[in-house]
């Protein structure tokens, strides 16, 4: 190969090598640029994942139990239905907000004062205090300026309170954070998934705008249907089944009397087989009514309205008391009936019972005997309830806020009465 041709080949190879190095350098630069962009993009995504703290402030008893149940599933539900780009942090606090305030606006203001130093972004107060706006029960109150809301458990009715409150909290948090309007109005077709999930729990409600100087809303139910649901919700928050163990003296009197009648009274044996089902039902109704009336009178549970404006509210509280005690006494009677029936099967020999009946006893005879003995013993339980203190009866018959309200009424009555003789 001549020198001219070799020189030309070397120059061509050098040019190829230079292009290869330029291409490699350019590829490395592009690769590093991509890494920088990905890192910058990832950093921006992390910055966008802001944290919002949702605090649940709950009254003791039932509200605190529901708030504790929401800790596990509410953050995931908030992320799924409001925004997955937000880190939802849930905090709970059990604290009686105020003992004396009954006005909804005062309650909401007290909530805002309580959570002012907690560092919460949104505060939701769960209470078993029934609240009304004019003639409509209140389900929820919102104050957008202070980013607080309150939920009244009785307004949700007696069933599925956990699910209703959970879905209501999600919608109200969405409204308070500006993610979307809660859209709780009756008949409104809410476009978001939040509305589709929760509509069956919160309808029918309507929005009432309150406060000219603040961005506030109030969600109320219909007058008649809403009041029935409010009354049932009040009974539910009172937890009437607690009456069984709360009034130990009454329970002991019913059990003792029922056992005595079942074992020793041949008259009760004969009557139980002769009385029909209708008379036994009437006996149970009368005995329960007598025990409820005795408890109300002996422990001063009946309220009186001071003026016409309080008459409707007083009627609601008295109806709640009667229903709560009636359910509680029925639960007590049912428990005593089961124990009496089992005792009758175990203690009464067929030959002894058969000698009084004039025939071999059957299972139905034991069932009727336990029924009659329980009904008669319930009347004796009314006398036994007088041995329980007034504080014990209220603790057994009412939820926390209702006891708090009644204690406040008692203090006001004592303050307005005659002065104490002690100095």
């Amino acid at each position: 190969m001549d020198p001219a041709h070799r020189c030309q080949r070397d120059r061509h190879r050098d040019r190829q090598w230079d292009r290869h190095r330029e291409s490699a350098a350019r590829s490395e630069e592009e690769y590093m640029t991509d890494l920088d962009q990905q890192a910058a993009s990832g950093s921006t995504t992390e910055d966008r994942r802001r944290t919002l703290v949702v605090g649940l402030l709950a009254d003791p008893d039932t509200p605190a139990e529901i708030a504790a149940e929401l800790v596990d599933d509410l953050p995931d539900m908030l992320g799924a239905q409001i925004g997955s780009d937000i880190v939802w942090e849930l905090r709970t606090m059990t604290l009686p907000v105020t003992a004396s305030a009954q006005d909804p606006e005062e309650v909401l203001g007290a909530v805002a004062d309580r959570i002012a130093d907690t560092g919460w972004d949104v505060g939701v107060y769960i209470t078993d205090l029934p609240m009304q706006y004019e003639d409509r029960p209140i389900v929820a109150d919102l104050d957008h300026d202070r980013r607080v809301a309150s939920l009244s458990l009785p307004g949700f009715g007696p069933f599925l309170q956990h699910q209703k409150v959970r879905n209501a909290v999600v919608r109200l948090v969405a409204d308070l954070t500006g993610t979307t309007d809660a859209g709780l109005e009756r008949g409104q077709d809410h476009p978001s998934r939040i509305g589709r999930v929760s509509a069956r729990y919160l309808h029918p409600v309507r929005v009432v705008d309150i406060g000219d100087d603040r961005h506030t809303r109030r969600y109320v139910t219909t007058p008649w249907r809403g009041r029935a649901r409010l009354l049932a919700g009040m009974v539910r928050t009172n937890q009437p089944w607690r009456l069984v163990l709360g009034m130990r003296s009454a329970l002991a009197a019913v059990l003792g009397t029922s056992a005595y009648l079942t074992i020793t009274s041949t008259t009760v044996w004969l009557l139980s087989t002769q009385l029909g089902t209708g008379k036994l039902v009437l006996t149970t109704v009368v005995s329960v009514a007598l025990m409820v009336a005795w408890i109300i009178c002996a422990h001063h549970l009946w309220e009186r309205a001071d003026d016409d404006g309080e008459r409707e509210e007083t009627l609601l509280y008295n109806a709640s008391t009667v229903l709560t005690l009636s359910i509680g006494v029925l639960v007590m009677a049912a428990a005593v009936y089961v124990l009496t029936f089992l005792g009758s099967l175990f203690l009464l020999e067929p030959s002894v019972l058969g000698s009084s009946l004039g025939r071999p006893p059957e299972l139905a005879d034991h069932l009727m005997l336990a029924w009659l003995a329980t009904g008669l013993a319930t009347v004796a339980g009314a006398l036994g309830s007088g041995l329980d203190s007034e504080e014990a009866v209220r603790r057994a018959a009412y939820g926390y806020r209702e006891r708090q309200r009644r204690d406040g009424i008692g203090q006001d009555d004592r303050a307005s009465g005659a002065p104490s003789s002690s100095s």
Side-chain angles (χ1 to χ4, degrees):
M1 180 179 297
D2 59 345
H5 185 266
R6 185 182 298 112
C7 183
Q8 183 179 2
R9 186 191 64 182
D10 292 340
R11 285 197 302 267
H12 177 71
R13 186 172 57 189
D14 292 340
R15 284 196 300 268
Q16 286 183 331
W17 175 248
D18 291 337
R19 284 196 298 268
H20 175 71
R21 286 190 300 178
E22 292 174 0
S23 177
R26 193 164 51 246
S27 299
E28 183 178 1
E29 183 179 358
E30 291 174 356
Y31 176 73
M32 295 302 296
T33 301
D34 291 340
L35 289 180
D36 292 340
Q37 291 176 351
Q38 291 176 7
S41 176
S43 176
T44 303
T45 302
E46 284 297 321
D47 291 342
R48 286 201 304 265
R49 287 180 60 81
R50 58 194 177 103
T51 299
L52 283 181
V53 179
V54 178
L56 299 180
L57 180 63
D59 281 334
D61 287 350
T62 303
E65 295 172 1
I66 292 180
E69 294 173 356
L70 294 176
V71 172
D72 296 330
D73 53 356
L74 191 57
D76 294 336
M77 195 169 180
L78 289 170
Q81 298 189 24
I82 297 181
S84 58
D85 59 335
I86 301 175
V87 178
W88 297 98
E89 182 178 345
L90 191 68
R91 299 178 186 176
T92 61
M93 182 191 305
T94 301
L95 186 68
V97 172
T98 176
S100 58
Q102 302 293 321
D103 182 75
E105 295 186 23
E106 293 181 8
V107 171
L108 201 60
V111 173
D113 294 337
R114 288 283 187 176
I115 69 173
D117 299 327
T118 59
W120 297 352
D121 296 298
V122 175
V124 180
Y125 175 49
I126 304 176
T127 179
D128 56 2
L129 177 69
M131 294 184 289
Q132 295 191 85
Y133 174 75
E134 296 178 349
D135 59 344
R136 296 176 179 270
I138 297 174
V139 175
D141 267 344
L142 285 86
D143 189 332
H144 292 80
D145 297 333
R146 294 180 288 186
R147 302 181 82 174
V148 295
S150 64
L151 294 176
S152 176
L153 283 182
F156 289 93
F159 305 114
L160 300 175
Q161 282 190 345
H162 171 78
Q163 292 89 335
K164 293 176 182 179
V165 172
R166 180 190 61 193
N167 286 274
V169 169
V170 171
R171 298 182 72 174
L172 298 179
V173 169
D175 194 352
L176 291 173
T177 56
T179 306
T180 181
D181 188 346
L184 305 181
E185 295 91 338
R186 177 179 176 84
Q188 178 174 344
D189 185 15
H190 198 272
S192 68
R193 184 185 174 192
I194 302 173
R196 294 195 300 270
V197 170
S198 307
R200 67 182 183 274
Y201 291 129
L202 295 178
H203 284 306
V205 297
R206 57 172 292 192
V207 174
V208 178
D209 292 322
I210 57 174
D212 297 332
D213 56 340
R214 297 197 314 272
H215 186 195
T216 55
R217 287 178 183 167
R218 176 167 293 164
Y219 299 103
V220 296
T221 59
T222 56
W224 294 106
R225 181 180 173 184
R227 285 180 190 170
R229 188 166 60 177
L230 177 66
L231 177 60
M234 292 172 64
V235 175
R236 166 65 178 80
T237 54
N238 286 337
Q239 299 181 1
W241 51 87
R242 298 186 305 183
L243 199 70
V244 178
L245 298 178
M247 300 182 61
R248 295 180 177 86
S249 298
L251 179 60
V254 175
L255 278 174
T257 305
S258 178
Y260 177 81
L261 294 176
T262 302
I263 297 173
T264 63
S265 179
T266 57
T267 304
V268 175
W269 296 354
L270 295 174
L271 283 176
S272 63
T273 59
Q274 299 299 322
L275 293 176
T277 304
K279 289 186 177 181
L280 288 174
V281 171
L282 182 60
T283 300
T284 302
V285 172
V286 171
S287 61
V288 170
L290 288 175
M291 186 171 183
V292 170
W294 182 274
I295 294 173
I296 291 176
C297 295
H299 299 284
H300 310 96
L301 302 182
W302 193 260
E303 297 187 25
R304 293 178 174 83
D306 295 333
D307 51 46
D308 294 337
E310 297 181 358
R311 182 173 301 174
E312 183 178 345
E313 180 180 353
T314 303
L315 178 63
L316 184 67
Y317 281 114
N318 286 334
S320 172
T321 297
V322 172
L323 289 176
T324 298
L325 294 178
S326 298
I327 295 174
V329 172
L330 282 174
V331 172
M332 180 186 297
V336 171
Y337 172 78
V338 173
L339 295 176
T340 303
F341 171 68
L342 295 177
S344 173
L345 289 176
F346 181 75
L347 296 174
L348 288 180
E349 291 293 332
S351 58
V352 176
L353 184 59
S355 63
S356 297
L357 299 180
R359 56 176 176 80
E362 301 175 352
L363 181 63
D365 296 324
H366 291 278
L367 291 172
M368 294 299 181
L369 172 59
W371 191 347
L372 180 59
T374 301
L376 297 176
T378 303
V379 178
L383 300 177
S385 67
L387 301 177
D388 291 306
S389 65
E390 189 167 321
E391 180 182 356
V393 173
R394 291 189 177 185
R395 187 182 301 111
Y398 300 117
Y400 176 81
R401 280 307 299 261
E402 178 63 9
R403 295 198 308 269
Q404 200 176 39
R405 188 188 68 85
R406 287 177 175 269
D407 290 342
I409 292 176
Q411 292 173 2
D412 293 341
D413 292 341
R414 289 189 293 272
S416 61
S420 174
S421 58
S422 60
S423 57

